[in-house]
Amino acid sequence: MKVVTIVGARPQFIKAAALSHVLRRQATEILVHTGQHYDESMSTVFFDELDIPPPDYNLEVGSGTHGAQTGAMLTKIEAVLLCEQPDWVLIYGDTNSTVAGALAAAKLHIRVAHVEAGLRSYNRVMPEEINRVVADHLSDLLFCPSQVAAEQLAREGITRGVHVVGDVMADILYRTLSRAQLKSDVLRRLSLIPKAYLLATIHRAENTDNPARLAAILTAFSDISETVLFPVHPRTRKAIADLGMIPAKNLQLIDPVGYMDMTWLVRNSRLVVTDSGGLQKEAYWLGIPCVTVRDETEWVETVQVGWNVITGADRQRIASAVCHMKVPEARPELYGSGNAAEVCVSFLSH
Ligand code: UD1
Ligand code: UDP
């Protein structure tokens, strides 16, 4: 069996790290990096830290408008697929790299397997929502992290090839935690005291491309008395500069960090404030309360069990949730037990 895996953005490197090693025990994997993310801190660091095999192809597509970026990926992925003739194309999540991989493969009648299928925000303003709807409808195997995701697919008429397998991000997190504890010196480096800081990440277009929302979030951070550690995505770095706001003294802006440091930062934070999909789940798995500065979430289960609160980009609601959020004792297992990669590979090879 030959599988072409398409990755391009930070969370996809992390997801591929969970699956690649398992897959390579029984298949030939050709790894394609579209080049969507290219900074050392957004790409190379994950390959190095997580022992992801080096990409067989780097398409070096880089940044651009949605059409230009996705179009360039489509052309280049098609050329790779024509050359490699794989049995499967494996795609992750909901980025432009995901949809380009799905479309290129489907048009060549190559079967598509989608990891993290069935997620929906029901908000088509999000580029990710368009990407995941298209990717799901073009996929032959759909690996869902939860029953809710499978039910959402069923409502769109997709029932064949759907499997609830859990989330590969849980696999890699559980595997990395003890290594992070041993190896990461991030708390010492940044002079942070465990449970005496908040960890924030913001990068969604809906927050970074809307100056009013971004300003409201940054102002909410300044209302908080604790240190807010904020590893800043390059997109957000530019948006903050354009806004011209001077960050409050309690806000510690740093460059994006590697996965090991990030895991340890989440684990030791008092609370996470984010618009990231991955981080909402990681906070939950590590038992850290999460405030999500979006108007909705795909990871509805984390809200239902009381560990995630949706505040939108509302200054008062963010500050109030950060100060007063109480989490329940119970933290039931969500999105699998950490063996999703094994299950995905078993379906691929049958
Ligand atoms: C993308 C995904 C988003 C995902 C996120 C993970 C799409 C539409 N969006 O958003 O779903 O949550 O990745 O982080 O695919 N940039 C750099 N260096 C880099 C990468 C990006 O400077 O290495 C800057 C560029 O100015 C670029 C901007 O960030 O224009 C946005 O990058 P892009 O990949 O288009 O989207 P993300 O916001 O990263
Ligand atoms: N992450 C990281 N370093 C950072 C910020 C995030 O390693 O500085 C990790 C985070 O722990 C999670 C993944 O990147 O595993 C999430 O990626 P991101 O928030 O960019 O994308 P999303 O999940 O929203 O698509």
Side-chain angles (χ1 to χ4, degrees):
M1 180 174 62
K2 188 177 194 181
V3 179
V4 166
T5 299
I6 311 284
V7 293
R10 172 166 68 187
Q12 293 167 330
F13 309 138
I14 296 164
K15 290 166 198 172
L19 220 146
S20 208
H21 295 286
V22 183
L23 182 62
R24 284 175 188 231
R25 280 188 226 132
Q26 35 198 302
T28 303
E29 183 185 43
I30 306 293
L31 189 60
V32 177
H33 186 331
T34 62
Q36 177 170 353
H37 286 175
Y38 43 84
D39 288 351
E40 203 273 337
S41 63
M42 296 293 289
S43 175
T44 323
V45 66
F46 300 99
F47 284 81
D48 292 348
E49 273 190 343
L50 299 174
D51 298 323
I52 307 168
D56 297 281
Y57 295 87
N58 191 326
L59 308 182
E60 296 183 345
V61 163
S63 304
T65 60
H66 286 281
Q69 189 184 54
T70 313
M73 289 175 189
L74 189 57
T75 310
K76 292 183 169 189
I77 294 171
E78 183 180 64
V80 172
L81 297 183
L82 285 170
C83 170
E84 295 291 346
Q85 299 287 331
D87 301 295
W88 287 100
V89 167
L90 182 60
I91 53 171
Y92 293 96
D94 53 18
T95 73
N96 288 348
S97 299
T98 315
V99 78
L103 200 49
K107 292 271 183 164
L108 293 173
H109 311 133
I110 299 168
R111 290 176 298 172
V112 179
H114 186 198
V115 176
E116 215 178 78
L119 274 286
R120 294 292 181 270
S121 64
Y122 299 103
N123 175 2
R124 292 265 172 119
V125 174
M126 290 180 73
E128 292 86 356
E129 183 74 357
I130 297 165
N131 292 341
R132 52 173 97 95
V133 168
V134 173
D136 283 339
H137 281 263
L138 295 177
S139 292
D140 301 278
L141 261 181
L142 299 101
F143 296 129
C144 297
S146 68
Q147 196 56 41
V148 168
E151 285 160 14
Q152 289 172 164
L153 289 176
R155 280 202 289 279
E156 293 175 21
I158 305 174
T159 50
R160 283 184 57 171
V162 175
H163 303 283
V164 178
V165 300
D167 194 319
V168 296
M169 287 192 101
D171 302 18
I172 190 80
L173 181 71
Y174 296 146
R175 233 172 57 203
T176 307
L177 188 58
S178 50
R179 260 176 83 204
Q181 178 168 18
L182 276 178
K183 295 209 164 157
S184 175
D185 63 351
V186 69
L187 298 184
R188 188 188 52 73
R189 251 175 28 237
L190 298 175
S191 307
L192 293 166
I193 299 164
K195 302 296 167 192
Y197 66 93
L198 311 182
L199 179 64
T201 77
I202 307 293
H203 74 276
R204 293 275 164 201
E206 73 215 55
N207 287 329
T208 56
D209 295 3
N210 181 330
R213 286 182 71 104
L214 185 58
I217 295 167
L218 294 176
T219 313
F221 290 162
S222 70
D223 294 339
I224 297 162
S225 54
E226 294 155 282
T227 296
V228 179
L229 182 76
F230 185 177
V232 191
H233 188 291
R235 173 190 202 111
T236 317
R237 177 78 67 185
K238 292 187 179 81
I240 294 175
D242 291 347
L243 208 56
M245 269 175 77
I246 312 278
K249 281 212 174 64
N250 66 320
L251 188 54
Q252 205 174 326
L253 302 180
I254 59 167
D255 286 337
V257 297
Y259 183 71
M260 209 77 79
D261 283 347
M262 193 63 181
T263 300
W264 203 233
L265 284 171
V266 178
R267 175 74 183 80
N268 286 286
S269 64
R270 183 183 73 75
L271 181 140
V272 163
V273 186
T274 193
D275 60 9
S276 158
L279 217 57
Q280 290 173 62
K281 293 176 286 174
E282 288 165 348
Y284 182 75
W285 290 320
L286 294 174
I288 309 299
C290 183
V291 172
T292 298
V293 291
R294 289 182 45 198
D295 298 329
E296 71 282 304
T297 181
E298 302 78 33
W299 303 102
V300 287
E301 298 87 348
T302 59
V303 177
Q304 283 158 3
V305 297
W307 281 79
N308 189 1
V309 169
I310 305 292
T311 60
D314 182 290
R315 175 181 172 180
Q316 270 84 30
R317 283 173 67 196
I318 298 169
S320 164
V322 162
C323 296
H324 305 301
M325 182 173 176
K326 297 260 184 303
V327 287
E329 290 270 304
R331 194 159 50 86
E333 183 179 283
L334 289 183
Y335 315 122
S337 57
N339 70 341
E342 301 274 354
V343 184
C344 291
V345 171
S346 72
F347 282 114
L348 273 170
S349 35
H350 283 113

